[in-house]
Amino acid sequence: MNTAARFFVGLNLGVNACWAFVPPASMEIKTYHTLTDSSRKPFGSSFEKFQLEVSRSTLKSSSLAKKKLFGPSQLFAAVLDGTSSAVNEDDRSDSVNVVLVTGFESFNRDLYEQAGAIVPVECKLNLQVFADSDIRTTNEGINENFANAVKNADAFIGSLIFDYDDVVAISSMLPHVRGPRLIFESATELMAFNRVGTFNMQSSGDGPSGPPPAVKSILKKFSSGKEEDKISGYLKMLKMGPDLLKFVPGEKASDLRTWLEAYRYWNQGGMNNVKAMLQLITQKWLLENENGDLEKVSSLELPDLEITPDVGLLHPLLSNYAANPKSYVSWRLSSECKELAKQQKFKLAPNDAPRVAVLLYRKHVITNQRYIQDLIRYFELEGIVPIPVFINGVEAHTIVRDWLTSQREIDGVSKGVISRDSTYKPNEATSVDAIVSTIGFPLVGGPAGSMEAGRNVDVASQLLKSMDVPYVVASPLLLQSIPMWKSNGVLGLQSVVLYSLPELDGAIDTVVLGGLVGDKIALVPERVRKLCSRLKGWIDIRKTPPSERKVSIMIYGFPPNVGAVGTAALLDVPNSLENILKRLHREGYDVGDFATNQDACGESLVAALTIQCENSVIAAGADRMQCAIEQRMERARNGDKTVPETLARPGGGLGRATVRGVDMSFDELEKILGKFMTKKVRRAWSEKERGPGINAKGEMVVSGLQVGNVWITVQPLLGVEGDPMRLLFERDLTPHPQYCAAYEWMRLPQERGGVGTQAVIHLGMHGTVEWLPGQPLGNDRQSWSDELLGGLPNIYIYAANNPSESILAKRRGYGTIVSYNVPPYGRAGLYLELANLKDLVNEYRTVESANGRSDLKEAIFATCEKCGINSDVAVPFNLSELSTISIDVFDEWIANISNYLVELEERLFSSGLHTIGRETSDEELSSYLNAYFSNKLSEEEIKNAITAWHQKEKTNHSHSFLSWIQDFAHNFMGDVIDSKLDAADNSLLQEATNIIELLARSSSEEMDSVVNALDGGYVLPAPGGDLLRDGTSVLPTGRNIHALDPYRMPSAGAWARGERAANEIIRQHRESNNGAFPETCAVTLWGLDTIKTRGESIAIVLSLVGARPVKEGTGRTVCFELIPLNELGRPRIDVLASLSVIFRD
């Protein structure tokens, strides 16, 4: 037998991390590793390695063996002490094996290893630390090393474990753990495995579960009584619970105290507290199992808890944590701070710079994550005074509510239009210009609030509305490495944390600040600068007086050269544009003479912009455009019918708007776009193919109409004529040069010859900037939408019924969405040959004689063929059989034709176009209600409801709403209802009145939200959707709409509908194919349809295949499982799914 063992140690130069493993002679040499190097390879290039050969006899007699140090942690400590020893297998059998899973916090792996290394040797700790990436193998099996570690574990510790596959893997292993199981802040399925002695968190079982009644009564004392404060109250309980439980008798209370004590150490964090927690667990295990030197073990004293405040403020120049924002700001603006900055050569932002609250993870602060200090430094360098508040994560809303305010809120309180919560602390609070959360998740509850996403959205939105400042979520990725983000974008659960959940609260302008490099969090400085530029964009426009603000409005002209300039889905762009300009005038903006000129109109503006988009006009250059427009005005005055008639008005109906444009060379573009991005454009677009918008000299033409301080322009075409969608399908293609020039010149300051726009309004659904090449999610420096928008606030007026595409505008195009309502609904009706067919069918049914009916058969058949109905309604005969077909067969076909015509006639569609800033007429209200209630309310009842609502608006609201409803019902329904008002009818009446009010509010709040967004304010969030399908939750419009959490699709209702649809598909196929099941079915999956239906199409696919969703404890769908064939009761059906791009993303 070889009597020598090899001892490998790798030391990271400058970083406290190592690998160490001393194998027994009978074992193969392996490597234990705790890595900070991004390569994840032992002994990387930044490491120095050495090898020692030690005889086995030396190992046995070594001082390390005598000290009974066990495991890689102790070996690490011993190596640093200069000792060289090993642990044999006999010694390991007496150790306390503890497995610790870091979950989201792989960056703390080193800290936990080092904490384990300093646990007293008497505790015989053998600690093994695993990150989430160590749990499963690439083929989705459980990692053998992890499985063996848990099987042999005496104790288990886990934190922040949410990935469902990890949860399933760990759950299957936890029953093997012999002793304490401590799971903190993880998935509910895992939390149920918590156990210390007789205390556990199982909801059911043979033994006792949860805290004893006496303890439950204690827990209730730690909350403010507000629903949204329960979780933060729970954290207060954890802080004091162990001390209170000293006085609660019973073994279970004692064991609960141990669990709380362990969590208190864990929550406070830092190496010494983690060491104390590990000591607490191992001591308890050794004493209970009478293992080791019990006298020495029992004599060990637990270290005192090193307490960091639950919330506080920090700064690289501040030696201690500030207690509250007010004291922090006082210090930050003091001469003391300036002197410290001078001594340490630390650049501070000016004292009058914008102030931004930055919410940080407390645990990242107390574990000294370097990115925290770097983030603060970058803010200061970019001219922003950060107010960095660290929190546990669950109490973000209490910081906003109690510690932060804004000048807008202060003014509102002084005027009596805003009332603050009683918890507000004026002696500790400070005013800020914006809020940035690096936490993600919902504002209320943080990670715990995600358990019931959307539950406290109203609380969050009302707090943020009162503040009325931008609420931005920006964070480094904690679940993805920077290379993974660069190659694939933000994925999976990370996208939910950073985008889906915060958007429910109205978060905007999400920026990925960095990600993991190995096991460490790193910032990308350029992304921090991007965040700061966007924050300053919103803050600067608020601080600029309205009369001086420079705004651009961008309309669309797609497809090109077919009269589409000034169009958008479901929106009357010319009249909406006119109303926006007039409202801006009332708000104090400079819109020239447009708002006061009675001849000025939106139609003329659009007509003039259309002229600027003509190829012949572009070829002449920007300088000739004013002349071209004036020539058309002259032609209009001369009666030329090919020119829009509004141009014949005095001044062309332009309200003295004039052309403002530029002819830009490629060299000039490079100066403002930068060499890096310009090089990409030159490579993609040769001189022979520069794309659209180029004049005869080869220059890029950018033009629009200047109306006071408002510049109105047409968004450049996405691709080229004949191939307008080219950019969507060529991954490496860049926007064409003129597209780049338009956005860059729009943003370029006036002193440098540009428009100097401070905010842009994209008017209508939808533009193209959000579709430009770049990251699918999580913009980086090379994403073109990120480059062209820069720090420009983007107010995006978007149709409320399209949340699927609006999330691209929000996430890739930094759009603050302001939704507009869909137009009123109308019935399709029948026309031309369809109306004629209906008359023929009705005549056939009324004719009694056989001869009369026979004469109509051929006419009906011929008309059906002309209308194409025979392809929709099966014909059980052909024309030659008409004379011989039986009456019953023909009558059945006639019945099917009649039903089909009724369906066509009653089909709903959007009638007309919506206009922003125009009140909803009574006729439109009636159309909405008719479509919504169908036959549940008559025309007369709807008319009376609208009339009554108008009357209510004129009253002083002296009666309660219910009494008003009853009075109204009595007035229009008479004595029939009087004292016997049917509950259902009363409910319908209230619903009708509610819808009328919401529709009326939409008319005003759409424009109000545009104005408030231009003022750098907060726009209330709401789900996107359609009144008929989604109900009143989508009203009023004028909201920052969001989509749904994709992890909650399909919903229960969508699953039921999809299952029925799948069964109907199967039934119809079997009826037509002698009982045979279909083998393959094709299903198209659309993003918009999926969001509208809450996942109906997904449910159809799953049902056909014979699968069903699997939900975890929070109700999220995490995977799908096949239904066993004996349960399914039929063959599985293959599905060919065609995915739209939006659905895929």
Side-chain angles (χ1 to χ4, degrees):
M1 180 183 293
N2 186 359
T3 58
R6 293 181 184 271
F7 186 1
F8 291 84
V9 178
L11 292 180
N12 182 338
L13 302 182
V15 180
N16 293 327
C18 86
W19 308 282
F21 181 76
V22 185
S26 61
M27 295 177 61
E28 293 182 6
I29 295 174
K30 297 182 180 178
T31 305
Y32 176 84
H33 54 95
T34 299
L35 303 181
T36 57
D37 182 66
S38 62
S39 66
R40 291 283 187 107
K41 296 179 180 178
F43 311 122
S45 59
S46 64
F47 289 81
E48 179 181 347
K49 60 180 178 178
F50 60 88
Q51 175 179 311
L52 299 174
E53 289 198 7
V54 188
S55 69
R56 186 161 186 168
S57 59
T58 304
L59 291 175
K60 286 187 175 179
S61 61
S62 68
S63 59
L64 182 59
K66 291 177 183 177
K67 289 181 180 180
K68 297 280 188 181
L69 288 181
F70 298 90
S73 302
Q74 285 72 16
L75 286 172
F76 174 39
V79 169
L80 296 183
D81 289 338
T83 61
S84 60
S85 183
V87 182
N88 64 34
E89 290 172 304
D90 295 333
D91 289 332
R92 274 187 191 279
S93 64
D94 293 332
S95 63
V96 181
N97 300 316
V98 177
V99 171
L100 191 157
V101 178
T102 64
F104 285 7
E105 296 184 331
S106 60
F107 46 84
N108 277 329
R109 191 204 296 247
D110 291 349
L111 182 146
Y112 300 144
E113 277 294 328
Q114 293 168 29
I118 59 176
V119 171
V121 295
E122 291 83 0
C123 291
K124 304 166 72 169
L125 171 65
N126 174 36
L127 176 67
Q128 291 179 273
V129 181
F130 296 89
D132 50 3
S133 58
D134 302 323
I135 296 171
R136 291 175 288 119
T137 60
T138 53
N139 61 1
E140 297 304 310
I142 299 178
N143 185 297
E144 184 178 355
N145 292 335
F146 175 73
N148 290 334
V150 178
K151 285 180 181 177
N152 296 310
D154 299 305
F156 178 91
I157 304 164
S159 177
L160 296 174
I161 306 168
F162 291 102
D163 182 272
Y164 183 74
D165 292 324
D166 290 344
V167 170
V168 171
I170 293 172
S171 297
S172 68
M173 303 301 302
L174 285 179
H176 295 287
V177 178
R178 292 182 286 275
R181 300 187 299 235
L182 308 176
I183 297 104
F184 309 127
E185 300 158 355
S186 297
T188 53
E189 292 90 341
L190 280 182
M191 295 293 287
F193 280 96
N194 268 293
R195 181 186 69 192
V196 176
T198 59
F199 167 74
N200 67 73
M201 291 189 180
Q202 294 286 348
S203 59
S204 61
D206 297 329
S209 63
V215 175
K216 289 181 179 179
S217 64
I218 292 173
L219 303 186
K220 295 178 180 178
K221 307 298 181 183
F222 290 90
S223 175
S224 66
K226 295 177 180 290
E227 166 71 20
E228 63 269 24
D229 290 352
K230 284 184 178 179
I231 300 174
S232 55
Y234 168 72
L235 287 180
K236 294 177 184 177
M237 179 278 295
L238 292 176
K239 187 174 181 180
M240 301 180 61
D243 297 326
L244 294 174
L245 287 172
K246 291 178 182 178
F247 307 104
V248 179
E251 184 179 1
K252 191 171 186 180
S254 175
D255 291 332
L256 173 58
R257 180 172 180 260
T258 301
W259 187 90
L260 290 171
E261 193 76 57
Y263 181 70
R264 186 160 65 168
Y265 279 119
W266 180 263
N267 179 260
Q268 287 297 326
M271 187 180 300
N272 290 333
N273 283 329
V274 174
K275 171 234 175 185
M277 181 198 69
L278 294 170
Q279 180 180 329
L280 170 68
I281 295 169
T282 50
Q283 275 185 268
K284 184 175 178 66
W285 176 253
L286 289 169
L287 292 172
E288 288 180 350
N289 291 274
E290 298 182 354
N291 187 352
D293 190 333
L294 300 184
E295 183 178 347
K296 286 186 177 180
V297 172
S298 61
S299 65
L300 291 174
E301 291 188 6
L302 279 175
D304 292 334
L305 183 70
E306 294 184 0
I307 297 177
T308 303
D310 288 336
V311 294
L313 295 93
L314 74 157
H315 192 280
L317 299 177
L318 191 59
S319 57
N320 298 309
Y321 299 127
N324 57 66
K326 192 167 189 175
S327 63
Y328 170 85
V329 171
S330 177
W331 167 83
R332 171 57 184 78
L333 303 181
S334 67
S335 57
E336 174 193 350
C337 180
K338 289 182 181 178
E339 185 60 31
L340 286 170
K342 184 177 180 181
Q343 293 171 8
Q344 299 183 30
K345 297 182 180 180
F346 187 104
K347 184 178 179 180
L348 292 173
N351 283 1
D352 61 352
R355 299 179 191 175
V356 176
V358 184
L359 304 180
L360 304 165
Y361 264 124
R362 174 179 171 275
K363 204 158 192 179
H364 293 185
V365 171
I366 59 182
T367 55
N368 298 314
Q369 298 301 320
R370 179 176 173 178
Y371 87 89
I372 298 286
Q373 302 288 338
D374 290 344
L375 184 62
I376 297 170
R377 290 176 185 272
Y378 286 130
F379 266 77
E380 296 276 14
L381 282 170
E382 292 300 313
I384 294 175
V385 176
I387 300 177
V389 185
F390 61 81
I391 59 175
N392 283 297
V394 301
E395 63 278 82
H397 69 287
T398 67
I399 302 302
V400 175
R401 183 187 66 199
D402 304 343
W403 268 7
L404 299 178
T405 187
S406 65
Q407 191 58 51
R408 183 71 58 86
E409 188 176 53
I410 292 169
D411 294 342
V413 170
S414 66
K415 295 174 182 177
V417 295
I418 295 176
S419 59
R420 286 199 184 97
D421 196 280
S422 59
T423 58
Y424 177 69
K425 301 172 182 177
N427 295 327
E428 300 179 5
T430 193
S431 177
V432 297
D433 297 303
I435 300 170
V436 173
S437 172
T438 67
I439 310 295
F441 294 103
L443 183 71
V444 179
S450 67
M451 299 301 180
E452 294 183 69
R455 179 178 178 182
N456 288 301
V457 163
D458 286 344
V459 175
S461 60
Q462 289 308 313
L463 288 174
L464 294 168
K465 181 62 179 175
S466 179
M467 289 274 293
D468 202 17
V469 297
Y471 172 56
V472 175
V473 170
S475 172
L477 304 176
L478 304 183
L479 303 177
Q480 284 182 240
S481 67
I482 291 178
M484 184 185 294
W485 160 50
K486 292 283 187 179
S487 60
N488 300 305
V490 181
L491 303 172
L493 186 57
Q494 184 73 73
S495 70
V496 175
V497 169
L498 204 55
Y499 289 90
S500 299
L501 295 175
E503 284 169 359
L504 299 178
D505 295 329
I508 61 171
D509 288 10
T510 299
V511 178
V512 175
L513 299 180
L516 295 175
V517 176
D519 284 335
K520 297 298 179 185
I521 306 171
L523 294 179
V524 177
E526 181 274 328
R527 290 291 86 193
V528 183
R529 289 194 292 273
K530 170 61 66 174
L531 169 64
C532 292
S533 73
R534 295 209 60 79
L535 288 170
K536 288 194 286 188
W538 286 109
I539 295 168
D540 288 349
I541 197 168
R542 166 163 285 190
K543 294 191 173 183
T544 302
S547 61
E548 298 174 18
R549 290 177 189 166
K550 297 174 179 61
V551 177
S552 288
I553 300 176
M554 193 165 276
I555 65 174
Y556 316 126
F558 180 85
N561 298 321
V562 293
V565 173
T567 60
L570 307 177
L571 185 68
D572 182 342
V573 172
N575 285 314
S576 296
L577 175 62
E578 181 178 331
N579 290 343
I580 289 171
L581 290 172
K582 290 179 177 178
R583 174 64 183 270
L584 291 180
H585 170 72
R586 293 196 295 273
E587 296 292 332
Y589 289 75
D590 180 1
V591 296
D593 295 338
F594 186 87
T596 55
N597 187 326
Q598 62 181 3
D599 295 312
C601 67
E603 292 284 357
S604 289
L605 293 176
V606 170
L609 291 168
T610 302
I611 296 167
Q612 294 183 45
C613 294
E614 294 177 5
N615 289 336
S616 59
V617 176
I618 293 171
D623 292 341
R624 299 286 300 168
M625 286 185 173
Q626 185 69 46
C627 180
I629 292 172
E630 289 173 356
Q631 288 174 356
R632 299 295 175 86
M633 291 162 53
E634 182 64 28
R635 285 168 54 185
R637 286 192 288 269
N638 292 333
D640 188 339
K641 299 299 182 182
T642 65
V643 179
E645 62 181 15
T646 56
L647 290 178
R649 295 182 181 185
L654 297 176
R656 298 183 67 181
T658 57
V659 172
R660 182 175 188 176
V662 66
D663 297 314
M664 186 182 297
S665 69
F666 232 115
D667 290 339
E668 290 171 326
L669 175 63
E670 184 175 295
K671 290 178 183 179
I672 53 180
L673 183 60
K675 291 185 178 180
F676 177 71
M677 298 303 268
T678 305
K679 184 178 180 181
K680 287 187 170 189
V681 177
R682 286 184 186 274
R683 188 165 56 241
W685 301 86
S686 65
E687 288 194 17
K688 293 181 180 179
E689 187 187 16
R690 284 288 168 86
I694 305 298
N695 67 16
K697 298 178 181 179
E699 298 169 319
M700 292 152 276
V701 178
V702 181
S703 66
L705 294 174
Q706 192 72 43
V707 187
N709 282 337
V710 178
W711 187 61
I712 309 168
T713 188
V714 179
Q715 188 177 56
L717 298 177
L718 185 64
V720 296
E721 265 188 81
D723 191 7
M725 306 302 286
R726 180 178 173 186
L727 267 177
L728 293 181
F729 302 104
E730 292 192 29
R731 183 178 179 87
D732 298 326
L733 194 64
T734 72
H736 57 74
Q738 190 258 352
Y739 198 113
C740 300
Y743 275 89
E744 293 293 335
W745 191 65
M746 179 174 65
R747 292 192 294 116
L748 190 69
Q750 281 190 340
E751 55 269 24
R752 293 179 57 190
V755 177
T757 295
Q758 293 175 281
V760 61
I761 297 173
H762 284 90
L763 182 55
M765 181 181 79
H766 59 73
T768 56
V769 70
E770 65 269 25
W771 298 88
L772 297 179
Q775 290 285 16
L777 184 60
N779 287 343
D780 61 8
R781 172 68 177 83
Q782 299 186 53
S783 297
W784 279 98
S785 56
D786 184 273
E787 165 62 34
L788 298 185
L789 286 165
L792 198 63
N794 179 13
I795 295 92
Y796 211 135
I797 300 175
Y798 215 93
N801 69 342
N802 191 2
S804 67
E805 292 182 320
S806 74
I807 63 173
L808 289 183
K810 184 193 295 276
R811 296 173 182 180
R812 299 192 78 243
Y814 297 114
T816 295
I817 305 297
V818 176
S819 63
Y820 59 85
N821 201 4
V822 298
Y825 304 98
R827 301 286 175 183
L830 299 176
Y831 51 89
L832 300 178
E833 292 298 332
L834 288 173
N836 183 36
L837 178 61
K838 180 183 178 181
D839 292 338
L840 288 171
V841 169
N842 290 336
E843 185 178 353
Y844 176 86
R845 285 177 161 179
T846 57
V847 172
E848 296 182 359
S849 69
N851 290 335
R853 285 190 169 192
S854 178
D855 294 339
L856 291 170
K857 283 182 180 181
E858 190 171 337
I860 292 174
F861 188 89
T863 307
C864 285
E865 281 196 323
K866 187 181 291 186
C867 296
I869 288 179
N870 287 351
S871 61
D872 294 334
V873 181
V875 185
F877 52 85
N878 55 48
L879 182 59
S880 63
E881 299 173 326
L882 271 179
S883 59
T884 59
I885 196 75
S886 71
I887 293 177
D888 290 340
V889 171
F890 192 84
D891 285 353
E892 183 180 353
W893 180 65
I894 286 292
N896 292 336
I897 292 292
S898 179
N899 292 336
Y900 179 79
L901 291 173
V902 169
E903 183 181 334
L904 280 183
E905 188 173 15
E906 293 300 311
R907 184 168 292 172
L908 290 168
F909 71 102
S910 292
S911 177
L913 296 173
H914 180 78
T915 303
I916 292 173
R918 181 176 62 79
E919 290 186 4
T920 307
S921 68
D922 289 357
E923 182 181 355
E924 290 170 332
L925 290 173
S926 180
S927 295
Y928 283 117
L929 295 177
N930 266 315
Y932 185 83
F933 289 104
S934 189
N935 297 323
K936 295 177 183 177
L937 288 178
S938 68
E939 289 278 1
E940 187 66 22
E941 289 170 331
I942 289 172
K943 180 179 178 181
N944 288 329
I946 295 170
T947 301
W949 179 79
H950 282 303
Q951 293 173 350
K952 173 179 174 283
E953 288 294 289
K954 297 176 182 178
T955 66
N956 58 7
H957 306 288
S958 59
H959 298 295
S960 70
F961 180 72
L962 183 57
S963 64
W964 174 83
I965 284 289
Q966 291 170 339
D967 290 345
F968 163 53
H970 176 76
N971 288 338
F972 92 87
M973 297 184 75
D975 297 333
V976 176
I977 285 182
D978 201 17
S979 61
K980 300 179 181 180
L981 184 64
D982 181 83
D985 291 339
N986 190 43
S987 175
L988 285 178
L989 189 56
Q990 292 190 44
E991 188 176 9
T993 307
N994 182 45
I995 291 172
I996 295 170
E997 185 171 347
L998 290 172
L999 289 168
R1001 284 177 57 190
S1002 296
S1003 301
S1004 59
E1005 293 188 23
E1006 289 172 0
M1007 188 69 81
D1008 291 344
S1009 293
V1010 172
V1011 170
N1012 197 56
L1014 280 174
D1015 200 28
Y1018 171 79
V1019 179
L1020 283 166
D1026 179 86
L1027 172 63
L1028 298 191
R1029 180 177 285 276
D1030 302 296
T1032 57
S1033 62
V1034 302
L1035 297 176
T1037 47
R1039 297 294 185 260
N1040 189 0
I1041 57 173
H1042 52 74
L1044 302 175
D1045 183 348
Y1047 283 82
R1048 296 185 185 274
M1049 289 186 187
S1051 67
W1055 176 254
R1057 295 192 300 272
E1059 198 171 30
R1060 286 198 303 270
N1063 290 335
E1064 181 63 17
I1065 292 169
I1066 295 170
R1067 185 191 66 78
Q1068 291 184 16
H1069 185 277
R1070 295 190 71 191
E1071 283 185 358
S1072 303
N1073 293 274
N1074 299 318
F1077 285 93
E1079 292 185 5
T1080 304
C1081 184
V1083 178
T1084 301
L1085 300 173
W1086 295 96
L1088 176 57
D1089 173 71
T1090 301
I1091 291 175
K1092 278 186 173 183
T1093 64
R1094 306 298 198 268
E1096 217 171 89
S1097 54
I1098 298 173
I1100 292 173
V1101 172
L1102 292 172
S1103 297
L1104 289 171
V1105 171
R1108 58 193 168 203
V1110 176
K1111 297 179 183 289
E1112 43 112 73
T1114 67
R1116 288 186 187 165
T1117 299
V1118 289
C1119 65
F1120 306 109
E1121 66 178 5
L1122 289 174
I1123 301 169
L1125 285 175
N1126 59 354
E1127 181 183 341
L1128 184 62
R1130 62 167 173 81
R1132 303 190 193 282
I1133 298 164
D1134 293 337
V1135 175
L1136 174 63
S1138 175
L1139 279 61
S1140 76
V1141 175
I1142 303 295
F1143 181 92
R1144 180 201 66 194
D1145 293 342

